[in-house]
Amino acid sequence: MTSVQTTTVDIPTEDGVVDAYVAHPGDGNPHPAVLLYMDAFGLRPQLRSMADRLAEAGYTVLVPNVFYRHGRAPLFDLPEFIDPGARPEIFERIGPVMQALTPELAMRDAEAYLRWLADSPVAADGPVALTGYCMGARLALLTAGTYPERVAAAAGFHGGRLATDAPDSPHLVAGKVTAELYFGHADEDPSLPAEQIDRLEQALTAAGVRHTCEVYSGAHHGYTQADTASYDREGDERHWAALLDLLKRTF
């Protein structure tokens, strides 16, 4: 098993300083970079463990606290096991913070994340890969379309609101994407109904984007997150297989 080194870093942006977690192989060499976009619950031990697993597979992983404008992580007082159904007040706190992160602000921040990776001695030269969860899937798609020259591949898992009627819907960047994309949708996910799945697929196909969209049967929104009530082991392992396969094709 590859030894992993981890650290926390501060990344300057136009609006402040992002606190972020970094994991990479401990061999002293630069490795292909992966920008991991968090879910709405934020930067916490679960996401750090996911970054560590990617680092063990040979990648340098950056996990930024995309809610940094509201404070450093942990921003929310979360239980060790997150059950929004039993604790509705969790989303009462998270909702306004999530809504405040507009696509414009998020993509301004993305430039800082990509610049940090480009300058980092632990990240290999060249384009990076993205993976995002929940709201992070939206950020991954938007980043792939906003900075196509910097993104070689992007994946999104149990993403919500990927193809809405809004003028800033993520699927509208499809025409600018040059990366290969993979999406693992949850079929028990009210935040991404069938019509949005179809709209996303049609947009990517029409734009000629190399992509795979799969619906995970029986999976709920959040199926990759082992510290939540939505976790599904089968769906999670399927996600890891798909993500690592994408990365192997990319780098």
Side-chain angles (χ1 to χ4, degrees):
M1 182 177 294
T2 302
S3 65
V4 172
Q5 290 186 355
T6 66
T7 188
T8 56
V9 297
D10 286 344
I11 302 174
T13 74
E14 293 184 27
D15 299 320
V17 177
V18 180
D19 52 304
Y21 179 77
V22 179
H24 59 89
D27 58 8
N29 297 317
H31 291 267
V34 178
L35 172 58
L36 192 159
Y37 276 124
M38 66 188 216
D39 63 0
F41 296 125
L43 182 51
R44 61 194 192 282
Q46 166 64 20
L47 294 185
R48 294 185 182 95
S49 70
M50 295 175 74
D52 293 352
R53 181 166 174 174
L54 283 172
E56 289 175 356
Y59 303 98
T60 291
V61 188
L62 175 68
V63 191
N65 167 27
V66 303
F67 292 155
Y68 72 94
R69 291 177 179 83
H70 301 270
R72 299 178 71 87
L75 193 61
F76 310 110
D77 182 20
L78 298 172
E80 289 187 11
F81 183 75
I82 305 168
D83 185 353
R87 298 280 299 277
E89 71 275 11
I90 291 175
F91 269 118
E92 290 179 6
R93 299 196 309 271
I94 294 174
V97 175
M98 184 167 55
Q99 292 168 12
L101 185 64
T102 65
E104 179 183 4
L105 291 177
M107 291 305 96
R108 199 156 74 200
D109 295 339
E111 195 279 330
Y113 309 149
L114 295 171
R115 183 176 61 247
W116 187 91
L117 286 169
D119 294 341
S120 173
V122 299
D125 293 337
V128 308
L130 316 172
T131 185
Y133 303 86
C134 177
M135 59 168 276
R138 295 201 307 274
L139 299 181
L141 177 53
L142 287 169
T143 302
T146 305
Y147 301 99
E149 73 287 352
R150 292 287 296 124
V151 179
F157 300 92
H158 48 82
R161 299 181 58 78
L162 293 174
T164 72
D165 294 324
D168 58 358
S169 176
H171 79 288
L172 297 176
V173 304
K176 299 178 181 179
V177 172
T178 58
E180 180 179 352
L181 304 184
Y182 177 91
F183 290 97
H185 306 306
D187 72 343
E188 301 292 333
D189 189 351
S191 70
L192 194 73
E195 59 266 25
Q196 286 196 42
I197 293 176
D198 291 342
R199 185 180 296 151
L200 174 64
E201 174 74 34
Q202 291 170 13
L204 296 176
T205 299
V209 177
R210 293 169 297 153
H211 70 280
T212 302
C213 293
E214 296 183 321
V215 178
Y216 290 23
S217 178
H220 293 262
H221 185 79
Y223 63 81
T224 65
Q225 302 301 302
D227 60 348
T228 75
S230 300
Y231 180 67
D232 179 84
R233 182 178 297 277
E234 182 178 349
D236 184 31
E237 288 307 312
R238 182 178 175 183
H239 133 261
W240 279 112
L243 176 58
L244 291 172
D245 186 55
L246 176 66
L247 295 178
K248 288 177 183 177
R249 292 198 304 274
T250 302
F251 299 118

